[in-house]
Amino acid sequence: MNQASVFLRQASADDIEALEQLLNRCYRQTEGWTNEADLIGGIRITPNELANTIANPKHYLFVYPKTTTGDRDAEETGELLGCIAVDIKVDADANKSAYIGMFAVHPELQGQGVGHQILQAAETFAERHLQSDIQVTHKNPARLTMSILSHRPELLAYYQRRGYKLNGRKMPFPNDGNNGEPKRQDLELLELEKIVSE
């Protein structure tokens, strides 16, 4: 796999089945190093959730499609090799940030730099979107945020190497049946952030 061959396009409704397979495989199966199978059971996402995400104008879901030759212009096979989402958020004080989520790389491609390329592309998109949309001030710098599960030190280290820091915000893992079934009671979602302009 040549890192230079990694490319993204915006997801469409035609990608829902392949996205569901990729996300549930990467998060809930025991393949690859990024899975959560030891911590959470059940499914990661439903077709309905994906359809709502794709239809939301403030949510950008990007996919890395597999093609017959590996080139961007070749015919797509219908399988997805990776995905990532950028959700533009506005808080009560009108501060905007970009939340990065639904990040997945096919287990057979993990550890080859593909995830780095996908994350970098999403960050670049988010930074451009934020800087064109907001008056960035020193008081309210543009920031990227994401949440990771507690008890995943290797994943935390991965994001810290890419400039993300724990910001102290955390919440218990939602045990509402919509996000999978936690296998331990002390699971939390930890928020990371990365300032992209000051």
Side-chain angles (χ1 to χ4, degrees), residues 22-57:
L22 177 71
L23 285 162
N24 285 320
R25 180 176 183 180
C26 290
Y27 282 86
R28 297 294 183 258
Q29 302 299 316
T30 55
E31 300 175 87
W33 73 272
T34 62
N35 76 78
E36 302 167 346
D38 290 341
L39 300 173
I40 305 173
I43 60 169
R44 167 65 173 82
I45 200 156
T46 66
N48 194 40
E49 288 172 309
L50 286 165
N52 290 338
T53 296
I54 290 168
N56 184 339

Side-chain angles (χ1 to χ4, degrees), residues 88-143:
I88 305 301
K89 294 183 172 284
V90 184
D91 69 14
D93 298 321
N95 298 316
K96 286 192 177 180
S97 62
Y99 180 84
I100 308 254
M102 281 197 249
F103 182 22
V105 175
H106 193 288
E108 292 175 9
L109 298 182
Q110 291 180 15
Q112 300 179 35
V114 173
H116 175 73
Q117 296 292 104
I118 290 174
L119 180 60
Q120 197 167 49
E123 288 176 337
T124 299
F125 172 84
E127 288 174 40
R128 288 179 180 159
H129 196 81
L130 289 171
Q131 289 168 355
S132 67
D133 264 12
I134 60 176
Q135 269 312 107
V136 176
T137 66
H138 184 66
K139 183 181 170 196
N140 298 318
R143 66 188 69 230

Side-chain angles (χ1 to χ4, degrees), residues 86-193:
V86 177
D87 189 7
I88 305 301
K89 294 183 172 284
V90 184
D91 69 14
D93 298 321
N95 298 316
K96 286 192 177 180
S97 62
Y99 180 84
I100 308 254
M102 281 197 249
F103 182 22
V105 175
H106 193 288
E108 292 175 9
L109 298 182
Q110 291 180 15
Q112 300 179 35
V114 173
H116 175 73
Q117 296 292 104
I118 290 174
L119 180 60
Q120 197 167 49
E123 288 176 337
T124 299
F125 172 84
E127 288 174 40
R128 288 179 180 159
H129 196 81
L130 289 171
Q131 289 168 355
S132 67
D133 264 12
I134 60 176
Q135 269 312 107
V136 176
T137 66
H138 184 66
K139 183 181 170 196
N140 298 318
R143 66 188 69 230
L144 307 178
T145 64
M146 63 173 61
S147 297
I148 66 166
L149 277 178
S150 56
H151 309 291
R152 294 297 312 279
E154 70 287 355
L155 202 55
L156 176 59
Y158 173 86
Y159 289 119
Q160 286 175 327
R161 288 193 300 271
R162 282 150 185 81
Y164 289 85
K165 296 179 180 172
L166 289 166
N167 63 12
R169 292 192 192 101
K170 55 187 175 182
M171 62 176 280
F173 183 82
N175 195 359
D176 54 11
N178 295 324
N179 299 280
E181 298 135 16
K183 295 183 177 180
R184 51 188 299 164
Q185 296 302 308
D186 59 346
L187 272 188
E188 293 180 311
L189 290 170
L190 309 177
E191 189 171 277
L192 304 176
E193 68 178 36

